[in-house]
Amino acid sequence: MTARRITSDWLSRYCYEPVLLETFVDRDRFNGTSYKAANWELIGETKGRGRNDRHKEYALSLKDIYMYPLRRDFRAVLKGEKPYKAVDPDDV
């Protein structure tokens, strides 16, 4: 339900429409089963560093990276090949 609603919420709040969602799943604690069941795509894994680790000092657990496209043409929009135009979430 959130994935269907987030497009209109962001558009009304920030005047910006996201084209995909991304999440990180700690593989030491979870299998990501609910994301797989909801058709999220496993696209890779992290290197075990946090966003504030500029000097490779803090080792964190590895996380799987899942992505969920909100538009069929998300690649073209992200590459700048297609003009960005709001679409109806029900058309995706």
Side-chain angles (χ1 to χ4, degrees):
M1 286 177 25
T2 303
R4 289 185 184 177
R5 184 170 171 174
I6 196 166
T7 300
S8 61
D9 287 351
W10 273 60
L11 194 55
S12 66
R13 171 74 181 197
Y14 303 108
C15 298
Y16 175 81
E17 180 185 341
V19 295
L20 61 88
L21 302 176
E22 177 186 53
T23 191
F24 302 90
V25 177
D26 188 339
R27 63 167 51 172
D28 290 341
R29 298 179 58 203
F30 306 102
N31 293 324
T33 306
S34 60
Y35 289 104
K36 293 174 191 172
N39 295 321
W40 286 64
E41 296 179 44
L42 176 64
I43 61 168
E45 64 182 33
T46 64
K47 298 205 182 261
R49 296 176 51 204
R51 68 178 181 174
N52 295 327
D53 184 13
R54 303 288 184 245
H55 305 290
K56 300 182 182 180
E57 297 173 354
Y58 304 102
L60 301 174
S61 60
L62 295 177
K63 293 174 181 62
D64 288 331
I65 306 169
Y66 286 88
M67 183 194 75
Y68 187 82
L70 298 172
R71 298 171 56 130
R72 288 186 182 135
D73 61 348
F74 74 94
R75 285 185 182 94
V77 172
L78 291 175
K79 289 179 181 179
E81 296 171 354
K82 186 170 186 178
Y84 183 75
K85 184 172 105 179
V87 296
D88 185 359
D90 294 330
D91 291 340
V92 175

